[in-house]
Amino acid sequence: MKTDLIIYNVAQLLTCASNGKPKRGAEMRNVDIIENGALAIKDEVIIAIGKSGEIIKNFESENVIDAHKKVVCPAFVDPHTHIVYAGNRLNEFELKIKGADYLEILENGGGIISTVKQTRQASLKELIEQSRRRLDKMFSNGTLTAEIKTGYGLDTETELKMLEAIFELDKTHEIDLIPTFLPAHAVPPEYKEVQSSKFKVQSRSDDYVELICDEMLPLANSKFKIHNLKLPFFVDVFCEKNVFSLEQSKRVLETAKSLGFKLKAHVDEFTNLGCAELAIELGATSIDHLDATSDEEIRLLAESNTIGIVTPTVNFNFGSAHFADARKMIDAGCAIAVSTDYNPGSAPCPSQPLAMAIACRYQKLLPSEAFNAATINAAFGLGLGKKIGSLEVGKQADVLILDTDDFRQAAYEFGGNFVESIVKKGRILNG
Ligand code: NIG
Ligand code: FE
């Protein structure tokens, strides 16, 4: 049978096959390797996968890649990023080295708010061009699908400008992009506390939550026609001390759900306010960070269909010795994914392999668990687990050839780049 592309002579073909479900618990240790493997691709999808001898016998193509006994794996999926923004936070990098605290910087109008100022000033074109360069770095590190959040606008106009940038980048960049609307990322400066009388300071954050629910979410919904989109469209909230309370987070998530958005939530990054349970109850596709999540919440996560997305790059970037206990979560039966959380403040990291390498060392994931966490489970963390994230017949042919004959080496070595060739929807894009 004629096909568009055959990749053969693969030492280890990591399929990460999952039969339509995320991998949880002990399943995460299985990357389903075919030794001396091959695969055939037609019309952007994998049509056959097996031993090299069989595939070569049964299929033919004008495009054949000899993998020279290297590793082939599913392309990485990055399920949590904030890469559409303008400017940088290099000054704060130095402040943090000297001991400043992340939430304190935010409280004092820096952090997320400093990126908000720079993003509000940028034109759509500037925003797209700056963000494209970040996508290029993710691409060369093997990420072929990524989620991107808004949240550096915090006013209707700029939040919608960020969404426009994401949609435009999706059309013009090789990485497939999944939008997440996150106006509830921080309280904007114009809604910060006001002195309402001589003795009373009043927070206006409820007014901002009202703006999100009454204006921003309905507008995003109608402008981008979420019901007609083929891709999922998420709403997220940063539930954290001095950011959004549990009650405010509930209001945002419930309104989003009633409008038809899928849900995500930043929970327990620094403080446990109870949002993990709330988000699981509301059927969130993922809950993210999980640094301060309780044993009882881990049990709820294990029993749910929600994916737990950990962001070890953040703890690494803070120079912290405390990490989300992903080991405990996997052992409890949770489906865990890894992300870079690529953003200008807490994790300026474009590389899923580096996130995996950190997860192996500090969260005690085995390389096999890290691979599943950055591929098939990350895909389920975006609601796309039936389409991407593993090499199975019928799935989109997003494939990497790694320059090693043992997949574990790609999590063992760090700081380099093992990605040798990239195949997106069956097209060879480099190598
Ligand atoms: O996932 N926690 C909130 N949001 C991001 C950080 C964004 C920033 O610092 O710009 C995070 O860590
Ligand atoms: Fe984040």
Side-chain angles (χ1 to χ4, degrees):
M1 182 184 175
K2 258 206 149 348
T3 65
D4 297 335
L5 177 65
I6 293 172
I7 306 175
Y8 79 109
N9 197 19
V10 179
Q12 294 181 331
L13 202 158
L14 266 61
T15 69
C16 299
S18 80
N19 288 319
K21 292 186 307 278
K23 290 188 184 243
R24 54 181 70 246
E27 292 161 2
M28 283 192 68
R29 249 174 277 154
N30 184 5
V31 280
D32 236 302
I33 295 179
I34 302 175
E35 277 169 13
N36 194 16
L39 51 84
I41 297 165
K42 192 169 165 56
D43 298 330
E44 302 187 359
V45 300
I46 297 166
I47 59 157
I49 187 155
K51 291 279 186 193
S52 256
E54 282 166 39
I55 299 288
I56 293 293
K57 193 166 78 196
N58 297 327
F59 298 90
E60 56 185 271
S61 177
E62 277 156 29
N63 297 311
V64 178
I65 302 180
D66 179 347
H68 294 292
K69 297 249 174 285
K70 292 183 177 177
V71 167
V72 164
C73 70
F76 298 120
V77 175
D78 197 337
H80 179 145
T81 84
H82 307 247
I83 60 109
V84 167
Y85 62 86
N88 66 58
R89 304 238 287 273
L90 295 171
N91 292 341
E92 287 173 17
F93 177 49
E94 296 195 331
L95 285 178
K96 277 190 259 159
I97 291 170
K98 292 180 192 155
D101 172 79
Y102 179 81
L103 285 181
E104 256 167 46
I105 294 177
L106 179 59
E107 266 298 280
N108 294 322
I112 295 172
I113 298 302
S114 118
T115 302
V116 167
K117 288 176 194 146
Q118 302 177 77
T119 304
R120 284 179 179 178
Q121 277 165 17
S123 68
L124 176 64
K125 191 161 171 260
E126 283 162 348
L127 202 51
I128 289 172
E129 283 325 305
Q130 291 189 31
S131 308
R132 186 188 306 284
R133 302 221 299 272
R134 301 179 192 116
L135 282 176
D136 290 344
K137 290 183 213 167
M138 293 167 68
F139 178 80
S140 58
N141 281 289
T143 293
L144 295 192
T145 303
E147 181 257 20
I148 307 181
K149 302 174 197 295
T150 70
Y152 295 118
L154 310 185
D155 61 29
T156 306
E157 187 192 333
T158 319
E159 283 294 315
L160 293 179
K161 179 173 79 180
M162 290 189 72
L163 279 180
E164 247 174 85
I166 297 170
F167 278 89
E168 183 55 31
L169 285 162
D170 181 47
K171 276 193 233 139
T172 54
H173 199 280
E174 295 294 354
I175 300 184
D176 284 330
L177 301 176
I178 306 300
T180 293
F181 197 43
L182 178 59
H185 193 200
V187 180
E190 51 291 8
Y191 282 85
K192 272 281 173 194
E193 293 168 345
V194 286
Q195 191 87 33
S196 65
S197 70
K198 191 164 172 206
F199 303 107
K200 228 173 140 200
V201 174
Q202 205 188 331
S203 165
R204 294 188 59 227
S205 64
D206 279 339
D207 295 346
Y208 181 56
V209 170
E210 202 167 301
L211 179 79
I212 293 175
C213 294
D214 293 354
E215 182 177 295
M216 292 186 176
L217 297 183
L219 254 180
N221 182 349
S222 59
K223 188 157 186 230
F224 295 95
K225 303 190 180 55
I226 66 167
H227 296 287
N228 298 341
L229 286 177
K230 289 207 185 88
L231 295 173
F233 196 154
F234 292 94
V235 163
D236 191 347
V237 61
F238 185 17
C239 184
E240 181 57 56
K241 193 170 113 211
N242 295 335
V243 189
F244 295 100
S245 67
L246 183 63
E247 208 184 307
Q248 292 171 328
S249 304
K250 184 165 189 254
R251 185 146 178 234
V252 172
L253 292 175
E254 283 180 346
T255 307
K257 186 173 177 176
S258 71
L259 288 167
F261 289 97
K262 302 256 179 271
L263 306 182
K264 288 179 168 285
H266 281 67
V267 307
D268 310 332
E269 182 172 356
F270 302 98
T271 322
N272 186 328
L273 298 182
C275 196
E277 183 172 355
L278 168 74
I280 291 169
E281 256 173 41
L282 290 173
T285 305
S286 74
I287 52 175
D288 303 39
H289 284 286
L290 312 174
D291 297 84
T293 305
S294 70
D295 287 355
E296 173 57 14
E297 289 162 318
I298 292 176
R299 194 185 60 74
L300 290 175
L301 179 61
E303 284 170 2
S304 73
N305 291 324
T306 302
I307 306 292
I309 299 181
V310 293
T311 58
T313 46
V314 173
N315 314 72
F316 172 81
N317 179 61
F318 288 152
S320 165
H322 175 78
F323 283 75
D325 199 344
R327 179 72 270 144
K328 188 194 262 182
M329 293 173 201
I330 293 173
D331 292 342
C334 299
I336 294 298
V338 165
S339 77
T340 62
D341 197 359
Y342 191 6
N343 75 68
S346 69
C349 172
S351 163
Q352 270 290 55
L354 182 58
M356 291 157 63
I358 301 170
C360 288
R361 283 151 182 89
Y362 291 94
Q363 298 177 307
K364 306 299 171 206
L365 267 61
L366 293 167
S368 52
E369 292 171 320
F371 263 89
N372 280 319
T375 55
I376 186 64
N377 279 7
F380 275 101
L382 294 178
L384 293 174
K386 300 211 165 137
K387 189 174 173 203
I388 54 168
S390 63
L391 303 180
E392 292 175 89
V393 169
K395 282 203 145 176
Q396 186 167 299
D398 289 359
V399 187
L400 305 177
I401 301 179
L402 305 183
D403 184 18
T404 174
D405 59 5
D406 187 327
F407 77 93
R408 294 173 299 177
Q409 207 179 350
Y412 160 74
E413 231 181 271
F414 56 93
N417 188 351
F418 278 95
V419 176
E420 187 178 278
S421 301
I422 298 175
V423 172
K424 176 73 184 167
K425 293 182 184 153
R427 274 188 315 127
I428 306 165
L429 296 181
N430 79 335

